[in-house]
Each structure stands twice: as C-alpha cells, then as structure tokens.
Amino acid sequence: MKYNKVSFILPTLILYVFAFCFSLSSAAQTPSDSSLFFRNSIVNPVEPQDLPSGINFFTKQKENHLELHDTLKVIYDLRLLSIAEFKIGNNFNSENHVVEALNLINSMATKDTLINARVGLYNQLGRIYRTSNNFNEAINSFDQALQIATKLKDSVIILNNKANIYTDQLSYSKALEIYRLLHQKQSQLNNYELGLVVDNLGHVQAKLNQPDALKNLKRAFDIREKNNDIIGLHSSTTHLSQYYLDRKDTTKALVFAEKTLALSNKINSSSFKIEAISLLMNLNKNPLVHEYIRLNDSITNAKQIAENKNAFLKYNVAEEQKKTQASILLQEIESRKRLAYQSLAFIIFLILVGSYFIYRNRYRKAKIEEIYKTETRIAKKVHDEVANDMYKVMTSLENNSGIDSKVIDEMEKIYTKTRDISRENSAIDLRNDFDLQLNDLLLGYKNNKVNVITRNLSKISWNTVTEHKKTAIYRVLQELMTNMRKHSQASFVTLIFKKEGSKIQIIYRDNGVGCDLFKKNGLQHTESRIASLNGTINFESKQGDGFKASIII
C-alpha cells in the first residue's frame, strides 16, 4: 500500500511542478507574444473581432508606455492604432493618432533617425486624405514619404498609393505609368506587394479597355487567396465586380459583389461594408436606387469637403506654428549672438581704452622719473664738476695778489648760483619725514627780510601720498619760493595745506610787487610738472598786488 501511495503522489507532484513551470514560461512570453498577435490582428485581420481587440490592446499599451516615458513604443502603438481605426472607417481617430505620433517624433532630438516611422505615418496620412477625397493633401503626404523613404518596399507601397489618387481622379494614364514602373520590378516584390501592384494595374487597364486587364485582375486574386490576404481579396473582388459591371455581365459582377460583402463582414469594417453594399446597389436596375446612390454620394462628398476644411489642416497648421516658433527662436538666438558680439566688442574697446590709459600713465610716470633722474644727475654733475672747479679757481685767484677783487666777487656769485642750482635739483629723500624735509625747504627761504609761515603742513598724512606727487610738490614749491626770492621783493609768505579726499590743495600767497602773468616769469615748468600728474595750478597776480598760486594734486 505504501508503495502504491507514493507511486501515485510522485507523478502527481511532477505534473504540478511541470504545469507551474509552463505557466511561468507562458507568463514571461505573454507581453511580446500578445503584441505580435494583436499586431497581426490589425495588419491582417481574419475574424470580425480582430480589429476591435487590436485597438483595445494597443490603447492600453500606449497608456503604459506613456507612463514609462518610452516615446519610441508610444509612436509604434499610435501607428498601429491609426491603421486599425482607418480599416474600421474612423478616419478622424486615425488622423489624430498620426498627428500625435508625428508631433512626438518632431519633439525628439533623434527624429532624423526615425525614418521608417515617419515614412509609415506620412503614407498613412495620405491614405486618410485619399479616403476623405482630399487628393492634393494626399499626394503631398505621399511625396513627403517618398522624399525620406530608403527601402524599396516602402517606395512600392507609397507609389502604389499615389497612383491610386490618379485613378480616383480618373487620370488613368498617369496611374498606368506608375503601375507599369512597379510591375517591371515584380521580381523584387513579395507576394503582398505583387498582389497589390498587379491588382491595381489590372483595374486601370480595365478602365482603359486594355487586353491584359482581366488576366492581371485574376492573377492578383489568386496571389491574395493563396496568401489568405483578406483585405487584399476585398480589393480584388471589388475590382473584378466593377470589371464585369462595366461590361454588362451582371451575373459575374453580382458573384464578386457578394464575395466583397462577405469579406467586409469578416473584416468587420464599416467603410468596407459600405463599399460592398454600394457595389451591390449599382447592380440593381431600379432607377430610384441609382438616384439614391448619386444623391447620397453627392451629399457625402459635400460633407467630406466641409470637414476637410477643418480637419486635414490640423497637422500642417501645427507644423507652421512650429516653424514660426523656430523662426522666432532663431531670431532670438541671432539677437543674442549680436548682443554677445556687441558686448564683446564693447569689452575689447574698454580693454583697449583702459590699456591706453594704463600705458599713458606708465609712460607719464616713466617720463617723470626720467626727468627727476636727469635733474638729479645734472645737479650732481654741476656740483661735482662745475662748482668744485669754480671753487678751485677762486682759491687759486685769491692767492694771486695781482687779481682784481671785483673779479673774485663775480666769480663767487657764479659759484653761489651754481651751488644753488645743484641744491635745487639734488636728490630728495622721500622715504621718511617728508613733512620735515618740506618744512626745512620752506623755512630755508626765511631771513631778516622775508617771513615764511606754513599752516597744516604736519596734518597731511604724507605716507599715503605717492613719491611722484611728493617730488612734484617739493619741486614746485621750491620753484615758487625761488621765484619769490629773486623777483617778488616780498616780506611775507604764507603756505596753507589742505587734504580733500584723495587730493591735496596748497595755497601760496606773498605780498610782493606781483608780476605780469602773460610773461609767466619762468613758471611754465611748474605747470608742466603738475599737469603730468593730472593736477592743476592756477596763478593770480597784479603789478603791486602780490602773487597767489593754488595747487591741487
């Protein structure tokens, strides 16, 4: 009993494990298998529920892929939804799916690589416009698809669809040229493409009463029947029924018209059913039926044209808006570039101007330093060579009793002038106690005849003043005081020092005889010194009314 029990349980357990593993395997394959299954239901529907179930599946797929931000799969879902809606007869929904997919492609940076998707969408858009009797837009859409198509398969289908437009417009010769061109490449076509081309070629030949028409129509029917191409068979039976109807063979025309209706029921497409019923009604001999068909077609066409005015422009209007926005964006970019270039040019201009002033300032400082060095060098040379030589000559003459004392006095005056020139241009120690040096300079001109008074000299923070400015102040005041001693006959001199921000103001005044400012009395040199440091010096004087100078540096 134990053996029997175990032998019964073990196979049962193995069976459950196998079933469980199989179910896991099936579950793992379900998404891809389901997608392929429902794609085939849309591309080649066989049962009435194929198209509705395909639409339901890919609508859910689209929502899932939107949540996952998988744009490529959303575009794929929209393409299949557009095909399915078109086959059912919902042109409006089909067009919306195409427009949505094209907008998604245009929003992607890699849109130029999605050639197959764009070709398929433009081709589908052309088919929708053809059904809506909007032939010009249909041809434009097919031409857009042809411009980017790289595969023969795509070109064959698009050219075939474009030729169908010419057939609808009764331009059979134009359509025939395209169909013959495609028929010449039949060795490169697959069964679906071959059935498509041969059927349409036969249909146009029938309209032009060419002898090979029926042979090509039957050949296309056989190809499609062999490959179970339901939609293709619907087209073949329609064309065969029309062929026999045009030739008054109503019996055969009725046979194929009934086959067309049976196929439309199998496809479960409203547009296909309407086409089949219309074909059957054309076989009815009652004149009222034909009048009804004519009036209904007229009203339907009028409605379709009215709808097209609003519907078919949606995508093109959106594209124009995008082009306008792109143009505005391009203008903004160009404006920003122009502004950037102008800013760069302005910055370069500022750098050049700044460089010019920096160079000029450095040049001016270098020139001032060179002047000071030259003055110091001349002063040293005058002292070391001229003054010392004069002193030796004077000493020698004083020991010579035969020399007139007046000559010695004149030479002594020359020696004194030489020594003064040397002292006036000797080097200045600017590192420490400049206020004491300046005060010593000014008080050096004080004697029994001239009283010199300074005010606020020690209150100036001379450590913050540059050496160039201190040197200029020293030399200018030295020249003013020397000029006073030589020419003014003044008995009283005042110098007032003020600090105003970063500038120093010095006011010089004496009570001398004054001077004629037009003659300047050798004061031009003081002006050039002050001007070299961007300072100012102003003179005020009248004959008999003293002399005044105001310095700002």
Side-chain angles (χ1 to χ4, degrees):
M1 291 294 292
K2 287 184 179 179
Y3 175 78
N4 291 336
K5 196 173 186 178
V6 172
S7 64
F8 173 75
I9 293 173
L10 186 60
T12 305
L13 182 60
I14 293 172
L15 183 62
Y16 277 122
V17 171
F18 176 78
F20 178 73
C21 293
F22 179 79
S23 65
L24 286 178
S25 176
S26 299
Q29 295 176 356
T30 295
S32 59
D33 290 347
S34 297
S35 179
L36 183 60
F37 173 79
F38 287 109
R39 179 187 182 280
N40 290 334
S41 297
I42 290 174
V43 174
N44 190 23
V46 177
E47 301 296 332
Q49 70 274 12
D50 284 350
L51 287 172
S53 60
I55 291 172
N56 182 58
F57 175 80
F58 281 103
T59 299
K60 291 179 180 178
Q61 286 289 90
K62 174 197 165 188
E63 293 172 357
N64 293 335
H65 293 149
L66 281 172
E67 290 180 1
L68 296 173
H69 302 289
D70 193 337
T71 307
L72 289 176
K73 288 186 178 178
V74 172
I75 293 169
Y76 176 79
D77 298 334
L78 287 168
R79 287 182 63 188
L80 288 171
L81 285 171
S82 177
I83 294 170
E85 294 283 3
F86 177 76
K87 287 181 177 179
I88 287 177
N90 294 333
N91 291 346
F92 183 79
N93 290 343
S94 180
E95 184 182 9
N96 281 338
H97 292 317
V98 173
V99 171
E100 186 178 354
L102 285 172
N103 285 332
L104 284 174
I105 291 175
N106 289 333
S107 67
M108 298 175 69
T110 57
K111 67 177 182 180
D112 292 334
T113 63
L114 301 175
I115 296 174
N116 290 338
R118 292 167 65 201
V119 168
L121 289 166
Y122 280 123
N123 180 62
Q124 182 62 26
L125 200 61
R127 294 175 68 200
I128 295 167
Y129 291 153
R130 180 201 173 195
T131 307
S132 305
N133 295 331
N134 192 353
F135 300 130
N136 290 334
E137 285 301 315
I139 289 176
N140 288 338
S141 296
F142 291 138
D143 286 341
Q144 284 182 286
L146 286 169
Q147 286 176 2
I148 57 178
T150 57
K151 297 179 180 179
L152 175 64
K153 175 183 177 181
D154 294 333
S155 299
V156 168
I157 293 173
I158 296 164
L159 284 170
N160 178 82
N161 290 338
K162 186 175 179 180
N164 288 341
I165 300 292
Y166 295 132
T167 301
D168 294 339
Q169 294 176 318
L170 307 182
S171 299
Y172 298 122
S173 297
K174 285 185 178 180
L176 185 62
E177 288 179 12
I178 296 176
Y179 293 136
R180 279 179 173 170
L181 176 65
L182 296 175
H183 191 255
Q184 290 172 3
K185 300 184 179 186
Q186 59 179 303
S187 61
Q188 304 176 45
L189 307 180
N190 59 33
N191 289 329
Y192 170 78
E193 295 161 357
L194 184 61
L196 188 70
V197 171
V198 173
D199 179 55
N200 286 327
L201 175 62
H203 177 62
V204 171
Q205 288 174 330
K207 294 296 182 182
L208 294 172
N209 291 316
Q210 293 186 358
D212 292 334
L214 184 59
K215 181 182 73 174
N216 285 324
L217 288 172
K218 287 182 176 181
R219 182 187 174 198
F221 179 87
D222 292 339
I223 293 170
R224 286 167 164 174
E225 189 174 41
K226 183 178 179 181
N227 289 281
N228 196 28
D229 183 359
I230 305 299
I231 293 178
L233 283 170
H234 182 278
S235 177
S236 286
T237 54
T238 300
H239 288 161
L240 283 166
S241 178
Q242 289 175 346
Y243 174 86
Y244 287 115
L245 180 62
D246 290 341
R247 285 151 183 81
K248 311 300 181 181
D249 190 345
T250 55
T251 303
K252 290 183 179 179
L254 180 60
V255 170
F256 284 105
E258 288 175 346
K259 287 183 178 181
T260 302
L261 180 60
L263 288 167
S264 64
N265 288 327
K266 199 170 186 180
I267 296 170
N268 194 25
S269 169
S270 300
S271 59
F272 283 19
K273 286 180 183 179
I274 291 172
E275 187 177 352
I277 293 169
S278 177
L279 193 60
L280 285 167
M281 292 176 70
N282 282 328
L283 293 170
N284 195 304
K285 296 181 180 180
N286 190 332
L288 291 176
V289 172
H290 289 278
E291 181 65 14
Y292 169 79
I293 293 173
R294 187 186 67 78
L295 291 174
N296 185 62
D297 288 345
S298 177
I299 294 170
T300 302
N301 287 335
K303 278 185 180 180
Q304 191 63 64
I305 292 171
E307 288 177 4
N308 288 344
K309 290 180 180 179
N310 297 319
F312 84 92
L313 290 175
K314 288 199 303 293
Y315 178 71
N316 290 334
V317 168
E319 283 296 296
E320 289 301 320
Q321 289 176 343
K322 287 181 182 178
K323 288 179 182 178
T324 303
Q325 291 173 356
S327 176
I328 293 171
L329 181 60
L330 184 61
Q331 290 176 2
E332 289 180 359
I333 292 172
E334 291 298 325
S335 177
R336 289 174 186 173
K337 283 184 180 178
R338 188 164 53 251
L339 182 61
Y341 292 145
Q342 290 174 350
S343 300
L344 182 61
F346 182 69
I347 291 170
I348 293 173
F349 173 75
L350 291 178
I351 291 172
L352 291 174
V353 171
S355 301
Y356 166 75
F357 282 108
I358 291 171
Y359 174 78
R360 191 180 72 168
N361 187 50
R362 288 179 179 175
Y363 174 76
R364 186 173 63 247
K365 286 182 179 179
K367 190 174 181 181
I368 293 170
E369 288 177 359
E370 186 62 31
I371 291 171
Y372 292 159
K373 289 178 181 178
T374 302
E375 289 176 345
T376 303
R377 186 172 64 253
I378 292 172
K380 189 174 185 303
K381 201 171 186 68
V382 168
H383 179 271
D384 292 345
E385 297 181 15
V386 180
N388 287 341
D389 289 347
M390 285 290 296
Y391 184 77
K392 289 178 183 179
V393 172
M394 285 173 56
T395 303
S396 176
L397 292 175
E398 284 177 351
N399 294 329
N400 192 338
S401 58
I403 299 299
D404 190 352
S405 60
K406 290 183 179 179
V407 174
I408 296 174
D409 290 341
E410 289 298 324
M411 291 190 70
E412 185 174 359
K413 289 180 181 178
I414 295 171
Y415 170 72
T416 302
K417 288 181 180 179
T418 305
R419 188 183 61 192
D420 290 343
I421 292 171
S422 176
R423 189 186 307 119
E424 288 172 3
N425 294 282
S426 60
I428 307 168
D429 186 5
L430 302 171
R431 289 172 294 181
N432 297 309
D433 301 326
F434 177 74
D435 55 336
L436 295 179
Q437 290 189 69
L438 190 57
N439 189 59
D440 289 344
L441 169 69
L442 298 174
L443 294 180
Y445 291 91
K446 184 178 181 180
N447 54 38
N448 294 332
K449 295 181 180 180
V450 181
N451 188 20
V452 179
I453 298 175
T454 63
R455 186 183 301 170
N456 299 329
L457 173 60
S458 61
K459 292 183 179 181
I460 303 295
S461 180
W462 295 103
N463 292 332
T464 61
V465 181
T466 64
E467 292 187 359
H468 290 146
K469 287 185 178 181
K470 287 192 281 190
T471 302
I473 291 170
Y474 190 96
R475 293 300 188 199
V476 168
L477 292 181
Q478 189 179 48
E479 289 186 35
L480 288 175
M481 297 300 290
T482 300
N483 189 67
M484 176 274 299
R485 187 172 63 183
K486 289 180 179 179
H487 306 294
S488 72
Q489 303 176 22
S491 61
F492 192 83
V493 177
T494 59
L495 292 106
I496 302 172
F497 294 82
K498 296 180 181 179
K499 185 73 181 294
E500 297 181 354
S502 61
K503 296 185 180 295
I504 296 173
Q505 183 179 17
I506 304 171
I507 299 175
Y508 168 93
R509 181 178 283 118
D510 67 37
N511 63 348
V513 297
C515 67
D516 187 354
L517 290 178
F518 292 103
K519 295 181 180 179
K520 294 285 186 179
N521 292 325
L523 295 175
Q524 294 95 331
H525 194 46
T526 62
E527 289 182 323
S528 63
R529 283 186 186 275
I530 299 300
S532 67
L533 294 170
N534 293 327
T536 59
I537 182 168
N538 296 312
F539 304 114
E540 294 180 18
S541 182
K542 292 181 182 179
Q543 290 289 345
D545 193 25
F547 181 84
K548 179 181 178 182
S550 177
I551 304 167
I552 298 176
I553 190 171

